[in-house]
Every structure is written in structure tokens, then in C-alpha cells.
Amino acid sequence: MSLQKAKIIVDKDFRVSEIDERIYGSFIEHLGRAVYGGVYEPDHPEADEHGFRKDVIELVKELNVPIVRYPGGNMVSAYNWEDGVGPKEDRPRRLELAWRTIETNEVGTNEFVDWAKLVNSQVMMAVNLGTRGIDEARNLIEYCNHPGGTYYSDLRRKHGYEKPHNIKTWCLGNEMDGPWQVGHKTAEEYGRLALETAKVMRLVDPTIELVTCGSSSAEMATFPQYDATALEHTYDAVDYISLHQYYGNRSNDTANYLAKSMDMENFIKTVISTCDYIKAKKRSKKTINLSFDEWNVWYHSNQQDRKIEPWSIAPPQLEDVYNFEDALLVGSMLMTFLRNSDRVKIACMAQLVNVIAPIMTENGGKAWKQTIFYPYAHVSAYGRGVALHTVSSSPKYDSKDFTDVPYIDSAAVYNEEKEEVTIFAVNRHLEEALELNADVRSFEGYEIVEHIVLENDDLKAVNTATEQNVQPHSNGVSTLRDGVVEAKLSKASWNVIRLGKRK
């Protein structure tokens, strides 16, 4: 039986945008074991002199994460940053209200900046616009970014940091549209506060970039009006608007689940439309871009989290154990950012270690790669350069929530400096392999370097500390002849087809 075929055209002149590397960002919140037992565990055999786990550092470096959002998340809306600086023995323990745990404050702003340097990353800092506001934000940015000679900059120097941290990207609060948020605000309330906070922060450091809070998901009843109202106030003062979205497969309908990246694409297009409506309304020449600073699969741990004892320290919260089908959807979500890289400039997989994360650890034990680690690592490694429009045709299917779902989901990136082209593709077909024909005639003199495949006959296969059941191989079947790549994409598979200039 002949394989069904899909076709794409990959042309170096069909450019979407130069890709901002920050779309491969991530997120560490003071939540569960993300910090304590994740990035920081002083008693661990692999801990360095500062208490950071070296095995985790190596895995994060393998992902090549350019920016990490911190310290929250829901947690930031009742967080006093002053609790986390200065001598550790003087730091207070606090009730952490978002997740109802005890925050020890052993790790704070300075320690996190130190850790980010160890993993070759920048910090994306969030300010508390829940219980606090303008004053706290101006003090924090003075502490972080002002050279010296003032109260808060000299306090940083007293704490052992002579040079400023120069944090350049700042979030004006977190999910302020959510009734669950400490200090939840209407769009009008939030917009006014965010604008005044932005103005003050820019007075302290005019070189920063600012992110205004958009809706915390496309399912919010106030979406997208909340975004529009917030932007009415903040448009001239900020650079980005935030988007958050998580997906799950609670109904165990894999065909429908793998189509959910189409929902993400629609979410992005709607927010772009909202931004551009406010741009037109204000007759502005400025364009607001998107910071998709929380995204992932999140549903496996929901029942388990209901059993956690309140007011414990660093309990195992939101510890989703990801399976193979989750990795396929994560691959499609990453490709969605590439296809929209003209407007999506920052994206943060939430989160990085232990909490809905690609990296898991045992307290005192091993660190290992979850299934979703691999598509993240591949796109971060080979998705640098220019995103290309892939003109495509594919057989399609209908699912419970989606119609005309292409079996082939694809994206392409051209790295001119390295003379490399990479085609990323997911075969969503659960029973059959598909043949992909990719017209790459504009890349004369190129050859196939590698065809990486992530596949598994068990959609529910997971990785553990002792078994890597889901991991990629480089035995993909593809040929390049007369400017056309012919590739066989296994059923339900993630594929990375790398082309390079013949030497």
C-alpha cells in the first residue's frame, strides 16, 4: 500500500522573521520543588559551593535556555522581594499564599541571578502588582539595575554585588485577570496601575523592556477585552503583552489532543489582532509584540496536588510525568512559535525543573530528562536563524473540537551563517506513516545531514530516573534528490530533518 503524501515548499525568500532566541525561554517559580530540590539543594552530592545542583545546571545548558522568568507566577503577587536578599540567617519565613506553602527565602533575587549566569541565561523579572505596586517596583529596579550611590543600589553592594544586575526584561505583574490571583484586578484597575508602574520603572532605567499582563488563557470570560483595556492604558509604555496557555488530554482523545496547537495558533492570532486594533485606535506607529511567557502541557498532577498538606516546605507540586504524546504536542507548540516569530518574541516553557518541567530530579538523587525535553532541545538547538513560511498541503482529519487538522504539522528555519536548513515536522496520524515531500530547490548544493526521530509505539510511554523509554534516534529515512526531500515520517512521530551546504 502506497503512503499518503504531504508536500511543503521551503524557500529562502519566504521569510517570516528573524527568530528572537528568547522564544526558547523558560520559567522558575518559587513553587513545589522548582527551586528547593530542583535548582538548589545544598546537601546534594552534586551541589556546588553555592548550593546549586551541577547535574541540573548541565541539563539546562543542554537546552540552551536564553532567558528565565522569575520569581513567579502566582507566587509573585504576594511576594516581598526584600525577604530574599541579605544574610540568609536574617531572612524571614513567610506563608506563601498562592500555593499555600512555607517560603524559606533561602534563594532570592541575587542567588537567582548567580544561577542564571551559570546556565548562560538572562533573567526576566516580575514585579508584584497584587499586594504591592509602584513603590516596590521602583525600589526593586533600583536595587537590581542602578550602579550605586543610592539607598537600594548601595544595599545591593552591601549584599556583595558591586556591579548592577542589569536585568532588561520585566513583567508588570502576573495573570492579574485571574480571580485566583492575590490582588486580582479589573482591566481598568490593572491598566492604570501597570501604566504608572511602567513610567516609574523607566525613570529609574530607560533601557528596560516591559511586558503588560494579557489574559491568563484564551478560556477567560474576559478575553480578549481584558487585553484591549490593559493596552488602552499601557500601549505607549510597554513593549510586549503576555499570553499563557496550558493543554491536557483529560478525555484520552489523542487525535483531538494533538490538534490543540491549532487552538494555540488561533489564540496568538487573536491577541495580535487585539494589539493591532489598539494600535489603529491610537493611530500609533509602534507595534506591540507578544511574550508567551507561560506554556506547556499541565494536567497529569491535578489529582495528586489536591492531597498536599498546606504550609509544608517545597512539597512535590505540579509534578506532571510526561508521556510520549505530550512530547508530540510540545513539538507542535514550539513550531507554532516559529510560524508566528514575526510577533512572538519571547516564550517561556513553564516550568524548567520538577514543576510541569522537562527536567526532573530526586531529592538527593538523580536528575533526568522527561519526554518533552527532546523537542524543546531540538528546536532550541536548530531553530536559530530565520523562520520560513512553509507552503504546505497535507491529508487532513476531523476531531471532536477541530476540523481539517493537517496530519503533517511543520515549520522550517534557515540559519544563513551556518548554511543550515532545518525542517521540523510532527506526523499526527496515529496509525500510518506519511511521506513528506519538501521542495528545497532554492537551497542549491545542500545535502541531508541528519534525520532525528522521536517515536514510540506506546503513546503513554514515560521516562523515569532509571529508564529512558522515550528518546530520539538519528535513523530517520529521508533522501534529497533534484532539490526535493523525500522523507518517511513514522506514525505519531516528531522529526527533525537537517540540511547543510555541501563542503
Side-chain angles (χ1 to χ4, degrees):
M1 188 178 75
S2 62
L3 297 177
Q4 287 193 73
K5 293 185 179 182
K7 295 181 180 179
I8 62 173
I9 299 171
V10 181
D11 192 291
K12 66 174 64 175
D13 291 328
F14 296 178
R15 296 178 170 228
V16 178
S17 175
E18 186 76 31
I19 297 161
D20 190 320
E21 66 171 10
R22 293 176 299 172
I23 67 169
Y24 308 124
S26 194
F27 178 28
I28 288 282
E29 181 174 0
H30 283 251
L31 160 58
R33 296 190 310 121
V35 175
Y36 307 115
V39 301
Y40 179 82
E41 192 177 347
D43 297 332
H44 194 276
E46 286 274 327
D48 68 9
E49 66 273 24
H50 305 295
F52 299 125
R53 285 185 59 156
K54 291 183 284 187
D55 54 349
V56 171
I57 287 169
E58 289 310 307
L59 287 174
V60 174
K61 285 166 77 172
E62 195 174 328
L63 287 171
N64 196 6
V65 181
I67 195 165
V68 183
R69 185 165 167 252
Y70 177 84
N74 293 348
M75 172 266 191
V76 79
S77 291
Y79 178 57
N80 299 337
W81 68 269
E82 303 92 335
D83 293 344
V85 297
K88 291 194 180 186
E89 61 272 18
D90 296 339
R91 297 182 189 179
R93 290 189 171 202
R94 298 282 192 194
L95 295 181
E96 200 293 285
L97 301 181
W99 304 103
R100 303 189 79 233
T101 59
I102 299 291
E103 173 54 54
T104 65
N105 286 303
E106 292 168 75
V107 171
T109 301
N110 295 321
E111 288 84 8
F112 194 76
V113 168
D114 288 341
W115 180 83
K117 288 175 182 171
L118 294 174
V119 298
N120 305 320
S121 193
Q122 300 293 317
V123 176
M124 179 181 186
M125 184 71 79
V127 298
N128 174 358
L129 294 191
T131 59
R132 303 182 82 182
I134 300 167
D135 211 36
E136 180 260 354
R138 73 163 181 169
N139 295 342
L140 177 58
I141 196 169
E142 180 186 319
Y143 182 91
C144 290
N145 287 13
H146 196 69
T150 65
Y151 178 80
Y152 282 104
S153 60
D154 285 345
L155 187 62
R156 180 198 69 243
R157 294 165 73 187
K158 181 182 173 184
H159 293 158
Y161 295 83
E162 185 67 26
K163 293 183 178 177
H165 297 321
N166 284 325
I167 296 168
K168 291 304 176 192
T169 311
W170 294 76
C171 301
L172 296 166
N174 173 77
E175 294 186 357
M176 300 310 299
D177 65 326
W180 58 85
Q181 203 72 203
V182 175
H184 162 242
K185 290 171 175 58
T186 67
E188 286 286 346
E189 290 168 339
Y190 170 72
R192 286 283 303 125
L193 176 60
L195 171 61
E196 296 306 315
T197 305
K199 283 158 59 177
V200 165
M201 292 178 74
R202 286 199 190 277
L203 287 172
V204 177
D205 184 351
T207 69
I208 59 172
E209 293 184 314
L210 292 169
V211 184
T212 200
C213 280
S215 294
S216 46
S217 83
E219 284 76 47
M220 295 299 291
T222 53
F223 174 75
Q225 185 57 54
Y226 195 100
D227 307 59
T229 303
L231 284 174
E232 287 263 17
H233 290 285
T234 62
Y235 197 92
D236 295 327
V238 302
D239 306 280
Y240 308 95
I241 187 167
S242 72
L243 296 77
H244 293 177
Q245 190 67 53
Y246 298 97
Y247 294 111
N249 189 14
R250 291 177 178 82
S251 59
N252 197 24
D253 182 343
T254 301
N256 193 63
Y257 179 54
L258 296 184
K260 289 190 176 183
S261 56
M262 294 176 69
D263 177 79
M264 183 188 225
E265 188 109 33
N266 185 57
F267 184 24
I268 288 170
K269 298 295 188 195
T270 304
V271 175
I272 290 171
S273 300
T274 305
C275 293
D276 291 349
Y277 162 64
I278 301 300
K279 177 181 181 177
K281 192 172 179 182
K282 287 182 172 286
R283 301 177 185 180
S284 175
K285 293 180 179 178
K286 174 182 176 179
T287 297
I288 295 288
N289 287 317
L290 277 53
S291 174
F292 213 127
D293 48 41
E294 283 189 35
W295 70 271
N296 206 343
V297 169
W298 173 18
Y299 77 104
H300 296 284
S301 61
N302 292 160
Q303 284 299 117
Q304 176 188 319
D305 287 343
R306 292 191 179 100
K307 301 170 187 172
I308 289 171
E309 193 68 30
W311 314 125
S312 49
I313 296 173
Q317 286 176 295
L318 280 67
E319 295 201 3
D320 274 37
V321 176
Y322 291 114
N323 59 35
F324 172 60
E325 68 181 11
D326 298 329
L328 295 179
L329 180 59
V330 163
S332 283
M333 293 167 86
L334 285 159
M335 289 190 290
T336 304
F337 297 141
L338 293 176
R339 290 193 296 267
N340 292 280
S341 56
D342 56 331
R343 298 297 291 273
V344 179
K345 299 300 181 182
I346 302 171
C348 303
M349 177 186 269
Q351 294 188 15
L352 189 51
V353 186
N354 288 330
V355 174
I356 48 174
I359 298 166
M360 290 297 290
T361 71
E362 296 173 318
N363 287 358
K366 289 184 179 179
W368 73 95
K369 301 171 183 177
Q370 292 237 58
T371 63
I372 65 170
F373 182 98
Y374 295 108
Y376 184 1
H378 293 154
V379 183
S380 181
Y382 306 121
R384 311 282 175 131
V386 173
L388 300 176
H389 283 289
T390 54
V391 181
S392 62
S393 61
S394 168
K396 297 175 180 177
Y397 70 96
D398 293 340
S399 71
K400 181 169 68 74
D401 297 321
F402 303 94
T403 56
D404 293 328
V405 182
Y407 278 116
I408 298 291
D409 190 16
S410 65
V413 174
Y414 175 36
N415 189 321
E416 193 167 3
E417 185 183 338
K418 293 185 175 180
E419 296 185 309
E420 292 178 352
V421 181
T422 304
I423 298 168
F424 302 101
V426 166
N427 178 4
R428 291 180 172 123
H429 206 302
L430 303 179
E431 281 87 39
E432 294 178 23
L434 294 175
E435 184 179 303
L436 177 65
N437 288 2
D439 183 335
V440 293
R441 283 176 294 176
S442 72
F443 296 97
E444 199 173 333
Y446 277 63
E447 61 187 356
I448 292 174
V449 174
E450 187 178 26
H451 180 171
I452 304 167
V453 184
L454 192 66
E455 59 183 338
N456 199 293
D457 286 334
D458 181 4
L459 290 165
K460 309 299 183 184
V462 302
N463 292 342
T464 66
T466 54
E467 287 187 273
Q468 282 279 299
N469 298 306
V470 178
Q471 54 184 324
H473 63 77
S474 294
N475 302 320
V477 179
S478 54
T479 59
L480 174 54
R481 192 179 297 111
D482 298 328
V484 177
V485 174
E486 288 193 1
K488 181 183 177 183
L489 307 186
S490 307
K491 67 175 184 179
S493 63
W494 162 254
N495 299 265
V496 183
I497 303 169
R498 299 177 55 222
L499 283 68
K501 191 76 176 276
R502 196 177 294 115
K503 303 300 181 192

